[in-house]
Amino acid sequence: SDLGPEIVYVNPAFTRMTGYHPQEIIGKTPKVLQGQKTDKEVLAVLRVKLEKGEVFRGCAVNYRKDGSEFINEWHIEPIKSIDGKITHFLAIQRDITERKRMEDELLEQKNILEQKNAALREILNLVEIEKKKIKENVSNNVEDVVLPALSRLGRTRTSHEKKYIGSIQEHLKDLTSAFGAQVSGPSHRLSPREAQIANLVKSGTSSRDIAVTLSISIKTVETIRNKIRRKLGLVNRSVNLTSYFRNSY
């Protein structure tokens, strides 16, 4: 037929898929299943393949007897006579509508996830930039405002007050350096008091001077030093805590 091959046989699965019974479809062409949304480019490829006697695989929108759409996946191959002439075409068809819907949903979810990941990366980058700005602002304020003010204040104080101001200065310097961040970080989990004493130990302040400076007992200082050693994993008592801090941070 000029309109295409005529249908000479359909099985029960074809009827279930399209709604057409054999007596309604035999003698007609596959064009009865095509409509407005059927991809013309796919049909053009199909026609060329069949004219060349080649196997065709593809899919396009088809229409059931009731007019509803479904996505039809074809496998069509020629059947030849003994002398090599094409006599019929065997078409294996499947309704892949649900599969395509799931594939489209997965693709959409993938795209949404990629967009969320890109947005999250952008947010994290902005957070890092803000953290850097805050750190720079804190460092600049400590160095340019707080430390000079403490220096001026220390000139008119008693020796113990000067020591205390000096320890505050060292503590501020360490908090704005890598050491302050490391000893207070999650890997060591030093408490604020432990971090304060760790900074004083690093600066070479003795336990007695730390006790006087912070108005606590020497026994308390030693207890806290021992806690610091345990948290740092310094079980060997021969390891000097001041030297360890200076060499490790």
Side-chain angles (χ1 to χ4, degrees):
S1 170
D2 292 337
L3 296 176
E6 291 183 2
I7 299 171
V8 297
Y9 170 79
V10 294
N11 62 11
F14 176 88
T15 298
R16 290 194 297 271
M17 184 171 69
T18 66
Y20 287 104
H21 292 279
Q23 63 270 22
E24 297 175 301
I25 200 75
I26 289 175
K28 297 182 179 179
T29 75
K31 285 184 178 293
V32 73
L33 301 174
Q34 299 165 16
Q36 183 179 1
K37 293 185 181 180
T38 305
D39 193 330
K40 301 299 187 292
E41 292 183 6
V42 172
L43 296 178
V45 173
L46 183 153
R47 189 175 300 109
V48 171
K49 289 278 188 180
L50 297 188
E51 287 174 354
K52 291 181 178 180
E54 298 176 355
V55 174
F56 170 80
R57 294 180 180 85
C59 61
V61 174
N62 272 192
Y63 294 82
R64 300 183 181 90
K65 180 182 176 180
D66 62 8
S68 60
E69 301 173 3
F70 70 101
I71 300 175
N72 191 12
E73 183 179 69
W74 292 302
H75 174 105
I76 304 176
E77 57 184 76
I79 298 175
K80 298 180 181 180
S81 61
I82 297 176
D83 59 3
K85 292 183 179 179
I86 298 174
T87 60
H88 297 81
F89 293 98
L90 173 65
I92 301 171
Q93 304 176 85
R94 288 193 302 170
D95 181 353
I96 63 166
T97 306
E98 184 62 18
R99 191 185 83 189
K100 287 291 291 181
R101 183 189 66 78
M102 293 178 65
E103 288 175 354
D104 291 343
E105 283 185 1
L106 287 173
L107 181 61
E108 183 179 1
Q109 290 174 7
K110 179 185 175 184
N111 291 336
I112 291 173
L113 183 60
E114 288 177 349
Q115 291 172 6
K116 287 183 177 179
N117 286 339
L120 180 59
R121 286 193 296 270
E122 184 65 25
I123 290 171
L124 291 176
N125 288 336
L126 291 174
V127 168
E128 287 301 317
I129 291 172
E130 287 302 314
K131 283 170 60 179
K132 185 178 179 181
K133 286 181 179 178
I134 291 170
K135 183 177 179 181
E136 289 174 351
N137 288 337
V138 170
S139 296
N140 290 338
N141 283 328
V142 168
E143 292 173 3
D144 297 341
V145 179
V146 179
L147 290 178
L150 287 174
S151 293
R152 289 194 297 273
L153 187 63
R155 297 189 191 116
T156 60
R157 300 293 167 177
T158 66
S159 60
H160 278 306
E161 288 175 333
K162 287 180 179 179
K163 279 187 179 181
Y164 189 45
I165 290 172
S167 70
I168 292 174
Q169 289 174 317
E170 290 301 316
H171 187 53
L172 287 172
K173 288 177 183 178
D174 281 331
L175 285 177
T176 57
S177 70
F179 175 75
Q182 285 176 309
V183 297
S184 302
S187 60
H188 299 314
R189 292 187 173 85
L190 297 190
S191 68
R193 175 64 92 182
E194 290 166 352
Q196 183 183 35
I197 289 179
N199 277 283
L200 291 169
V201 170
K202 180 174 181 276
S203 66
T205 308
S206 68
S207 293
R208 182 177 297 277
D209 285 341
I210 292 174
V212 172
T213 300
L214 301 182
S215 299
I216 57 178
S217 69
I218 296 177
K219 184 178 179 181
T220 300
V221 174
E222 291 299 326
T223 299
I224 293 174
R225 288 180 68 127
N226 288 332
K227 286 183 179 180
I228 293 170
R229 295 183 72 90
R230 285 198 300 273
K231 288 185 177 182
L232 297 177
L234 299 177
V235 294
N236 188 345
R237 302 299 299 181
S238 65
V239 177
N240 181 271
L241 198 55
T242 301
S243 300
Y244 174 82
F245 281 139
R246 289 178 176 174
N247 294 330
S248 303
Y249 297 91

